Structure formats: C-alpha cells, structure tokens
Amino acid sequence: MALLQLLDPEVMGWADVGRMLPSVSEPIVGAQKVAEGVMSFFRPGSGTTLEASIVNGEPGIIAMRNGAVFAVLALTVKQGLITRLYAQADPRKLAHVRHVPD
C-alpha cells in the first residue's frame, strides 16, 4: 500500500464523520492502522477523488464525491512523513466549504 510510505510509523489519526459513522475521538496510532482507516473510508469504487491542497495554511487533502466536498484532511508533516492526520467529513461542518482549485 503506497500510503504506508507517506506515514510516520507512529502517526496519529482522528476523524469526525458526523452521523455516517461513530467519530474517532481517541487517536488511532500507527501507520498500518491509520492507513487501513483511510483506505476503508475512501475505498476504491466509492467515486471519491483526492486532491492535494492547503488546509488552514498546512498540507492537506480535499476529497470530492459527486462534485461536492466530501471530506477535508489536515496533515502535519515532519521530515517528509505524515505524523498527524485529522479528517473532517461531517456534512454539517463542511456545509460552508467550497473547493477552489489551487
């Protein structure tokens, strides 16, 4: 899985997915667990496209589905590896987000 090469071995990940699934309030720790969580959420065939973007002044990813913002991922990157990943996919919290290509 190519994603594993981008994750620090001790990466921490959180997610707020609103009512779609229970929120991940306690961090998931470890590259394998975070990668599995991300891949299950953005599984192949889901119609999701991912685009690198700047999120709150930091590296991030905008996930689009059916022409609308589906999720925003904020990343902390140190020494070329993702050390923290926060995914916001609660539709209520994303209602004001418009995707503007870089």
Side-chain angles (χ1 to χ4, degrees), residues 49-64:
T49 58
L50 305 175
E51 184 177 328
S53 188
I54 300 298
V55 175
N56 294 331
E58 300 291 335
I61 299 169
I62 305 293
M64 302 289 290

Side-chain angles (χ1 to χ4, degrees), residues 12-18 20-25 27-28 34 37-39 41-42 50 55 59-63 69-76 82 84-91 93-94:
M12 294 185 359
W14 298 261
D16 180 353
V17 294
M20 291 185 284
L21 299 167
S23 292
V24 180
S25 57
I28 296 171
V34 170
V38 169
M39 294 307 292
F41 194 65
F42 300 115
L50 305 175
V55 175
I61 299 169
I62 305 293
V69 175
F70 174 71
V72 175
L73 288 80
L75 310 173
T76 300
I82 299 168
R84 293 180 186 256
L85 181 149
Y86 177 73
Q88 179 55 258
D90 183 338
K93 294 179 182 174
L94 293 175

